[in-house]
Amino acid sequence: MDKKTYINETVHERLSSLISEGERLWEEFRANEKGIIEDIVSFTRWSTSCLNILDKLSVSTNRFVKQFEIWVIGGPGQKMNIGAALGILKSAKDEYSLGLAIDYHLS
């Protein structure tokens, strides 16, 4: 079966857009001498949008959401890592592009 059968172009484009935004945020974070996220509004908007789409990609246990949440939640005993979260988002796009992580409502 052709992989195009599995791909909803709107979802694919949204994943690409979120990856681009994540890369921008990651670079800003890495360049920050204090090691903090200065633009918390953009980060929160990005992470919420990522979780929204990741939640829709997989009808099973949704490992993408679980792993993404681990890396975007900061607080006592937890270290936020935008780079790791971005890696999970890229992995989700790869799996979705191959038809291996789909919610049939998005297809």
Side-chain angles (χ1 to χ4, degrees):
M1 188 178 272
D2 183 9
K3 78 175 186 174
K4 283 287 190 188
T5 304
Y6 297 110
I7 297 175
N8 174 314
E9 288 302 323
T10 302
V11 173
H12 197 261
E13 288 174 19
R14 182 62 177 149
L15 284 167
S16 295
S17 172
L18 288 170
I19 287 169
S20 293
E21 177 66 7
E23 287 171 340
R24 184 190 69 76
L25 290 167
W26 175 234
E27 288 307 315
E28 281 184 15
F29 173 75
R30 290 180 50 187
N32 186 296
E33 293 177 8
K34 298 175 190 173
I36 61 172
I37 297 170
E38 296 277 345
D39 187 355
I40 196 66
V41 173
S42 290
F43 173 76
T44 303
R45 185 176 179 187
W46 173 76
S47 62
T48 302
S49 292
C50 289
L51 283 167
N52 179 56
I53 199 164
L54 290 173
D55 193 43
K56 291 172 175 54
L57 285 182
S58 177
V59 294
S60 60
T61 60
N62 205 338
R63 184 164 311 277
F64 299 123
V65 169
K66 290 177 183 177
Q67 291 296 310
F68 192 88
E69 285 178 328
I70 288 169
W71 293 111
V72 297
I73 296 172
Q78 296 176 326
K79 184 165 175 119
M80 190 178 343
N81 187 319
I82 299 172
L86 181 58
I88 293 161
L89 188 62
K90 287 179 177 184
S91 175
K93 181 184 177 196
D94 292 345
E95 297 296 306
Y96 181 73
S97 296
L98 294 170
L100 300 173
I102 59 171
D103 179 333
Y104 293 100
H105 300 290
L106 292 177
S107 297

